[in-house]
Amino acid sequence: MPPGISMTALETPAKHAFTGQYPQVQPRYLQQMRFSSNEGVSNSSVQSSLQAWVFRQSDDKQLVQVRQSGFSFNRLAPYSNFDAYLPEIRRTWDIYRGFAAPLSVRTLRLRYLNLINLPLEDSGGIELENYLTILPTLLESERFVLSGFLSQYTATDRQTGYQVAVTITPQPRDGNNLPILFDNTAFATGQWDAEDWDNIESILRSLRALKNQIFFDTVKESCTNLFI
């Protein structure tokens, strides 16, 4: 955003722009706590700063955020697909651009949080290799039984220079299912004209294709069949 524009200054124009269709408004703060000790004397301080204004629809399923670092559009379950929300993404971006007057776009990011319920076997266990291509390994598989894992990596696409960040980890058991959280993010960094929506949309679509490739390279057909 232009230098000198604060989140406080954006409160009134943001509320005027978004509360018609996103009536629930919530400020989001960042708190920093500092502790120090010198010759047995302890001191502490708390500093709070406004980081974002969050605007939610009445059903809490869709929201936009005017943040210190930019703008975001979020959709919660149940959701359709990227194409279904793209017109609203553009509309709300244009609204944001109208009152915040961003000078340029430096990062474009698509982030998908997939919660995949894998069915447990009668024994209460599960063979992850039946569903996923990225698997944790045990040094002594005859001795140990896997009880949890965290798979995380970042990578750069040689063709586009775009990047991905992936995290896969199980969640607490839910009945006869083991929920797997698949955090799948694709993003591009650079500098683009904030008014050039055609270029922004083109990059977003490329990021979507990259995100989809990561997804389908990570899960097997038996896993995707769980969504049908």
Side-chain angles (χ1 to χ4, degrees), residues 109-122:
R109 185 185 312 267
L110 285 181
R111 184 184 185 193
Y112 285 71
L113 295 174
N114 305 278
L115 192 63
I116 306 172
N117 287 311
L118 301 182
L120 294 169
E121 299 174 354
D122 293 338

Side-chain angles (χ1 to χ4, degrees), residues 132-166:
L132 304 174
T133 60
I134 297 178
L135 300 170
T137 58
L138 292 171
L139 295 179
E140 296 186 51
S141 58
E142 296 298 324
R143 177 178 177 180
F144 294 103
V145 176
L146 190 69
S147 57
F149 68 92
L150 173 65
S151 177
Q152 189 174 52
Y153 71 88
T154 59
T156 301
D157 179 23
R158 288 192 177 98
Q159 296 180 3
T160 62
Y162 300 159
Q163 295 177 281
V164 296
V166 175

Side-chain angles (χ1 to χ4, degrees), residues 24 56-62 75:
Q24 300 184 37
R56 297 177 181 269
Q57 288 188 338
S58 299
D59 60 3
D60 285 330
K61 299 301 183 183
Q62 195 161 285
R75 174 68 194 188

Side-chain angles (χ1 to χ4, degrees), residues 1-7 10 66-70 96 100-104:
M1 293 186 293
I5 291 186
S6 67
M7 293 303 300
L10 291 178
V66 177
R67 296 180 288 107
Q68 187 68 45
S69 57
Y96 166 79
L103 301 177
S104 63

